[in-house]
Amino acid sequence: MTPRVMIVEDEEPLTLLLRYNLEAEGYAVEAVARGDEAETRLREWTPDLILLDWMLPGLSGIELCRRLRTRPETERLPIIMLTARGEEAERVRGLATGADDYVVKPFSVPELVARVRALLRRAKPEHVATVLKAGDIELDRQSHRVHRQSREIHLGPTEFKLLEFLMQSAGRVFSREQLLDGVWGHDVYIDERTVDVHVGRLRKAINRGRQLDPIRTVRGAGYSFDETFARTQ
C-alpha cells in the first residue's frame, strides 16, 4: 500500500519542495494551504501522516491539531508540526497539543523525510519498506547493509544514501542538482561534479565482472536507477 501524506502549509515554494521529495520517496501526497480547508478535507479523506504548519490562514495548525486529537478517527493520526517557533515553551506546547514530532524552520529536507519514514514505521509499519530489492541487489535500511547475490557490498554513508535514493524511485531521472538536494541536503554547498565522483564509487562497489550496471547515465540530464533492472535478472 502506498502511504499517504497530507501537507498543510501556506508557503508554496516549501510545499513544492516537500511534495517533490516525498513523491520521490514513494508517498502519495496531497497539499492544502489553509487550516480550515484541511479540516474539511480530513473529514473526507484520512492520510497516514500530516505535515502541519503552525501558522496558517483560516485555522491555525495548533488548533487543527487539537481538534484532530478529539476525533476518534484521527486521534492517533501521526502529525509532524512545522514551525519557525524554536523556543522550548512553544515546542512543549506543540507536543502537548498532540503533535508527534516538531521540526523548526529552516530544516533539512532529507532529515524531515527520514522523520516521516521513522514515524510511519512506528505508527504504520506495513507502509514502510525496510528492505529495497531490485534484480539481485538488496538494500536493508535498518541494518545499513547492501548485498548483491551472496556478496555483501561495503558502501560509505554517502554511497549508501545515493543508492537508496535512486532505488526508491527506479526509472526516474534525477539531475545532479536534484541528487545533491536529495542525498546531501539543500543546505550543503558543494560542486555538482561531486555527484559524478560518488556515482563512480558506487558503480565500482556494486558492479563486478560482467554484472549489469543498474545505474543509467542520461546524457545532459543526470542519473537514474534502471527500472528494467529488476526484470533482467
Side-chain angles (χ1 to χ4, degrees):
M1 295 177 64
T2 300
R4 303 176 297 181
V5 176
M6 175 180 280
I7 302 170
V8 188
E9 169 63 62
D10 62 335
E11 296 180 32
E12 186 176 359
L14 178 57
T15 298
L16 292 173
L17 180 64
L18 292 175
R19 178 191 287 275
Y20 171 82
N21 282 274
L22 290 168
E23 289 180 343
E25 181 81 5
Y27 301 126
V29 178
E30 180 164 332
V32 183
R34 293 176 56 91
D36 50 355
E37 292 177 1
E39 183 178 33
T40 300
R41 180 65 178 126
L42 286 164
R43 294 187 182 280
E44 306 166 346
W45 178 80
T46 303
D48 298 299
L49 181 143
I50 296 180
L51 294 177
L52 180 60
D53 187 27
W54 182 300
M55 300 296 292
L56 290 167
L59 181 69
S60 72
I62 199 77
E63 175 60 19
L64 177 58
C65 181
R66 187 193 66 77
R67 294 184 186 184
L68 291 175
R69 290 302 182 232
T70 65
R71 293 169 49 196
E73 59 270 32
T74 55
E75 64 179 353
R76 296 183 181 275
L77 177 63
I79 298 174
I80 298 179
M81 190 76 75
L82 309 178
T83 178
R85 298 170 179 261
E87 297 82 1
E88 181 181 1
E90 298 295 348
R91 293 198 301 271
V92 170
R93 182 184 173 197
L95 295 170
T97 304
D100 297 280
D101 202 352
Y102 193 101
V103 180
V104 178
K105 301 176 183 178
F107 49 78
S108 160
V109 174
E111 179 185 349
L112 176 62
V113 172
R115 287 172 180 257
V116 168
R117 188 188 306 130
L119 186 52
L120 279 174
R121 185 179 293 120
R122 294 196 300 269
K124 295 179 179 290
E126 71 277 10
H127 284 325
V128 181
T130 59
V131 177
L132 299 178
K133 296 181 180 180
D136 56 1
I137 295 178
E138 182 176 295
L139 181 148
D140 190 317
R141 285 169 156 162
Q142 288 188 327
S143 67
H144 274 240
R145 289 185 172 181
V146 177
H147 288 84
R148 185 162 191 179
Q149 296 178 348
S150 59
R151 177 173 68 95
E152 183 171 0
I153 300 169
H154 298 284
L155 299 177
T158 300
E159 283 73 34
F160 182 90
K161 289 195 293 183
L162 179 59
L163 179 60
E164 178 187 21
F165 188 82
L166 290 169
M167 284 184 70
Q168 68 195 8
S169 301
R172 183 168 182 170
V173 179
F174 293 97
S175 68
R176 289 167 178 80
E177 181 180 2
Q178 289 169 334
L179 288 172
L180 283 174
D181 286 345
V183 177
W184 283 265
H186 69 286
D187 293 326
V188 177
Y189 298 99
I190 55 178
D191 193 283
E192 289 185 3
R193 287 174 294 182
T194 301
V195 174
D196 299 330
V197 173
H198 285 281
V199 169
R201 291 177 182 172
L202 177 59
R203 278 176 161 152
K204 185 176 180 180
I206 64 177
N207 300 323
R208 293 284 180 87
R210 296 185 177 181
Q211 288 180 318
L212 294 174
D213 184 1
I215 300 175
R216 185 164 58 97
T217 301
V218 182
R219 188 172 181 179
Y223 299 100
S224 75
F225 192 93
D226 189 350
E227 71 275 20
T228 66
F229 181 69
R231 300 195 294 272
T232 58
Q233 301 297 309

